[in-house]
Amino acid sequence: MQYVLRNTLMQTLGFGVLTLVWIKHRLQGYTKPNTVADENWEGRHAYVQDVVESWSRFMPDGVGFKGRDILELGPGSSLGTGALLLAHGAQSYLAVDAFRLTGNEHAAFFADAIDRFPGDLTDEDVERAKALTARRSNQFDYQVEAGFDIPKLAGGRKFDLILSCAAFEHFDDIDRTIADISKVARPGCVSLHIVDFQTHSRWIRDSDPNNIYRFPERLYRRLSFPGQPNRKRPADYKRAFEANGWTNVRVVPAVSIAENLIGPSLSGLARPFDRSDMDMAMLNGVVIATRA
């Protein structure tokens, strides 16, 4: 009862935000997923560097980018991550998406991203990456299809490493997506996905990061729109990967609720998010699995 008034207010505010976002998507359709402007090269470079460094930080011991055929799911508004992966020695890079949010970046942007990267890169890998990102090929590719049929988008290619950042939480059917990537994963393939479990609307997430979990499923789906957070929790990812034959599946916490928000953030949630096995204190997590 301690947080009833506060959480009722937050739920009301959240419903208003959810309704406004729903109206925006009805009028404008799906737009680019981050707020970095296209002309803001500094911001775009910082973003792709942060993503690649985050992948590196959570990569299992003994696993790297060098020599690997890499698939990225939902790259968003930049293929700069692919340029940096190639500069780390990746054999090839394919990005796939259901929405065409990028694909018109110039080779100069990729070359600049590589030159700005603060990590250790070999001259050979850098030269090769710049040459590959100067034009589209099977070694640097981007494929889009509204149905997000990953085996079709892959075109017969297989992968040693499958990555995503802040994308999986937007996929409508994670069971299908995981089944699809299982079809294009080589034995021993590592799948690593940074998932943003919390409320995405910046107007409310700092005060009530679990706001999207305050609504019953029927109401939340009535206000659905393309890319709406799917509200899947760590246990859902673990179950789906294991069901498709992946091993050593775990979800590593990356960001948790601040101590001063634990009480209100874990109370007043709709079913089934009020259960202890939902790990509702986890705001960001990294799903890691290995293909048997």
Side-chain angles (χ1 to χ4, degrees), residues 151 174-184 240 244 246 291:
I174 69 165
D175 293 275
R176 178 199 162 193
T177 300
I178 293 169
D180 277 357
I181 65 174
S182 302
K183 296 172 185 175
V184 301
N244 282 278
W246 294 76
R291 186 69 169 148

Side-chain angles (χ1 to χ4, degrees), residues 40-56:
N40 182 2
W41 274 38
E42 294 291 335
R44 291 166 63 198
H45 286 313
Y47 176 76
V48 297
Q49 285 180 9
D50 180 66
V51 171
V52 172
E53 288 173 339
S54 296
W55 286 331
S56 297

Side-chain angles (χ1 to χ4, degrees), residues 67-137:
R68 292 181 178 266
D69 293 307
I70 299 178
L71 172 66
E72 182 178 0
L73 310 180
S77 56
S78 180
L79 301 181
T81 48
L84 293 181
L85 292 171
L86 291 170
H88 279 78
Q91 179 63 29
S92 68
Y93 168 84
L94 169 65
V96 297
D97 212 331
F99 302 94
R100 186 171 296 278
L101 302 174
T102 186
N104 58 355
E105 293 170 300
H106 298 295
F109 172 78
F110 299 131
D112 198 21
I114 294 169
D115 288 337
R116 289 167 178 252
F117 192 78
D120 293 329
L121 305 173
T122 69
D123 291 341
E124 181 182 358
D125 287 337
V126 165
E127 290 178 13
R128 179 175 176 272
K130 288 181 178 180
L132 289 175
T133 54
R135 59 191 179 280
R136 197 66 54 80
S137 71

